[in-house]
Amino acid sequence: MPSLIVLHYTAMADPDEALNRLCAAEHEVSAHYLIHRDGRLFQMVQEDMRAWHAGAGTWGGMDDINSRSIGIEMDNDGASPFSEPQMSTLETVLPEIMQRWNIAPEGIIGHSDMAPGRKADPGPRFDWARLARQGLVARSGTSEPIDDLAIETFRSCAAKLGYPTDIDDTALLTAVRLRHRPWGNGPLSKEDFAALPKVSHFLV
């Protein structure tokens, strides 16, 4: 019973090669969907079946994310902007999946969210804000004001959002920034706290 949707990029220059890889058993990697840069949607695994897309990681205290999620691969090399047709297809398919499985916007995460330090996709070029404006994902920058800017407070806030707690401070800050403040750099700052979304009862 999926409660999460995990977004990825293929990190491959050739979309046909990416599709072949996701369909070849010897590579031991799969996803429920692949969205081509031209907007075409490929379904490779039925939504009620387990796909091998997430690997090791946790979210909201849950492990074995492959058994709890639907994986969507975006045809992207990891450095280029995501195409308009591709984002349009994602905006169409996401709400359909969310409705079928009663998945809340807070349950739409990136691979980097559940596997900080190990994965960086869908990367800093992915337009989370565009999805947030349509209510499809948690909106950044909506947290309550926080006066205590210590790293321990940041870790606590991130854990309440769902981030793993068994990682170092740098990996956690990088993962949160990839999702909510991809232009951020340097040490932890008040801007990082301000970029956090409001903690949802979904994960509390």
Side-chain angles (χ1 to χ4, degrees), residues 7-9 74 76 82 109-112 120-126 128:
L7 303 181
H8 308 259
Y9 58 48
M74 305 289 285
N76 185 276
F82 291 78
I109 64 174
H111 203 184
S112 57
D121 52 317
R125 304 300 298 270
F126 186 75
W128 288 103

Side-chain angles (χ1 to χ4, degrees), residues 1-2 26 30 72 128 130 177 182 191 195 199:
M1 188 74 178
E26 64 267 22
S30 58
I72 300 177
W128 288 103
R130 172 172 171 162
R177 281 177 171 171
E191 287 78 15
V199 174

Side-chain angles (χ1 to χ4, degrees), residues 5 21 24 28 33 38 55-56 94 104 112 123 132 135 167 201:
I5 299 173
R21 184 178 183 86
E28 298 186 344
Y33 295 99
D38 64 12
L94 262 184
S112 57
I167 56 174
H201 293 295

Side-chain angles (χ1 to χ4, degrees), residues 87-110:
M87 291 299 296
S88 180
T89 296
L90 179 63
E91 290 166 339
T92 299
V93 73
L94 262 184
E96 295 174 352
I97 299 173
M98 293 165 72
Q99 183 175 18
R100 277 194 292 272
W101 298 101
N102 194 29
I103 298 175
E106 293 82 2
I108 316 304
I109 64 174

Side-chain angles (χ1 to χ4, degrees), residues 79-156:
S80 303
F82 291 78
S83 73
E84 175 60 33
Q86 187 176 47
M87 291 299 296
S88 180
T89 296
L90 179 63
E91 290 166 339
T92 299
V93 73
L94 262 184
E96 295 174 352
I97 299 173
M98 293 165 72
Q99 183 175 18
R100 277 194 292 272
W101 298 101
N102 194 29
I103 298 175
E106 293 82 2
I108 316 304
I109 64 174
H111 203 184
S112 57
D113 291 321
M114 53 144 293
R118 188 175 71 84
K119 293 295 181 178
D121 52 317
R125 304 300 298 270
F126 186 75
D127 196 349
W128 288 103
R130 172 172 171 162
L131 299 182
R133 287 192 293 271
Q134 300 176 61
L136 297 176
V137 300
R139 182 182 290 271
S140 303
T142 55
S143 65
E144 299 295 328
I146 299 172
D147 296 325
D148 181 1
L149 305 183
I151 185 62
E152 291 78 11
T153 305
F154 185 78
R155 291 184 69 90
S156 176

Side-chain angles (χ1 to χ4, degrees), residues 49-66:
M49 301 294 288
R50 185 179 189 271
W52 295 350
H53 63 93
T58 64
W59 185 256
M62 300 181 291
D63 58 9
D64 189 13
I65 302 300
N66 280 332

